[in-house]
Amino acid sequence: MTTNRPMQLGMVGLGRMGANLVHRLVRDGHRSVVFDVNSSAVRALEGEGIVGASSLEDLVAKLDAPRAIWLMLPAAITESALDDLIPHLSSGDVIIDGGNSYYQDDITRAAKLAEHGVHYVDCGTSGGVWGLERGYSLMIGGETSVVAHLDPIFKTIAPGQDGTEPTPGRTRSSGTAPEGYLHCGPNGAGHFVKMVHNGVEYGMMASIAEGLSIIKHANVGLTRVSADAETTPLRDPEFYSFDIDVAEVAEVWRHGSVVSSWLIDLTADALARSPELDGFSGRVSDSGEGRWTVEAAINESVPAPVISAALWQRYESRGEGEFTAKVLSAMRSEFGGHVEKPS
């Protein structure tokens, strides 16, 4: 990677993605001042091109004005970090929120910082723990001139020319989207696009998981099932007598299949290491983007049944539907005298 305008960036938050962002930047000739509440994370990064800071105030003091500071923090603590930063900032400084903040908060924060002459950029960042080598897909919101000023930073972080085949029908010869980063619009637009990106991710993940589970249970016809009033018998059990290697199915889907994707790649790797996925309980968290995507769909009157169902599935995985199931069981008992079968 090369850039013709090395820059200096402050990084707040050195977790799984923050530290890799710094490594990617410094590797391309940029400089960074870093801070994390975990001082050992700061010490681990200090070296050529990377200066550690002991506090947010110290980080601001070690950056050249006008400063650019990237926050890579959980959405729940981004607001408090901003409040702590504001007294130390100067007019012309730029704050970049690279986490998964709610896009409406971006609009409020941009207005708040503008009162101090500070610019705000929201940058949805996708790439996870693989981004150091693969690069990060960036969805950016903010003032055009400010985003343009930060272009060398975004260009370095993004995948760039990563070998992806050009889109056959694309006629535009300009724009940064083919390099993996895009200025989506004013403040909030970047995180709005990233929010929907994650909602789509929910649906894709749920579909892959459900499909592989159907394949895994294709041998249900070989299982003896109790014959009682509480159990619907399987019709034609001979049609469900396949013991299919799910890990190998995931592997074959990687090669030439219409559903081949990075998610399939990762799933195949997980199944290759543990066909029964023994290290997982099946409790699936949601960090907010799926909920916000469904809310946006409701407010826009856009049907989004797949993303909505994927969100409900995550709630179910955490036992949030337990009381619902108890009410259902109670009603069956009340109207029909149905007795719960032991699990």
Side-chain angles (χ1 to χ4, degrees), residues 130 250-251 254 264-274:
W130 300 89
E251 182 62 29
R254 295 184 61 227
I264 293 289
D265 293 346
L266 298 174
T267 302
D269 186 55
L271 288 167
R273 286 183 277 111
S274 176

Side-chain angles (χ1 to χ4, degrees), residues 76-101:
I77 65 173
T78 298
E79 189 73 28
S80 61
L82 271 175
D83 289 341
D84 291 341
L85 269 172
I86 287 174
H88 309 296
L89 299 175
S90 303
S91 180
D93 290 347
V94 183
I95 296 293
I96 308 152
D97 180 6
N100 283 325
S101 293

Side-chain angles (χ1 to χ4, degrees), residues 6-19:
M7 296 186 69
Q8 183 192 49
L9 182 74
M11 180 64 68
V12 179
L14 304 176
R16 289 172 297 178
M17 292 177 68

Side-chain angles (χ1 to χ4, degrees), residues 4 22 24 31 36 57 66 87 94 96 101 112 129 132 135 138 151 158 172 174 196 203 216 242 268 275 289:
N4 56 12
V22 171
R24 193 167 173 86
R31 296 173 295 126
D36 193 282
E57 182 178 6
V94 183
I96 308 152
S101 293
K112 178 179 178 179
V129 297
L132 175 60
L138 305 177
D151 187 76
R172 291 179 56 179
S174 61
V196 178
K216 179 177 177 59
F242 309 119
E289 298 86 354

Side-chain angles (χ1 to χ4, degrees), residues 128-139:
V129 297
W130 300 89
L132 175 60
E133 297 304 325
R134 289 170 57 101
Y136 297 87
S137 178
L138 305 177
M139 294 141 268

Side-chain angles (χ1 to χ4, degrees), residues 301-324:
S301 299
V302 173
V306 173
I307 295 173
S308 300
L311 179 62
W312 312 148
Q313 184 186 61
R314 293 194 177 201
Y315 297 162
E316 186 68 42
S317 78
R318 305 198 297 265
E320 303 293 348
E322 182 180 4
F323 188 72
T324 303

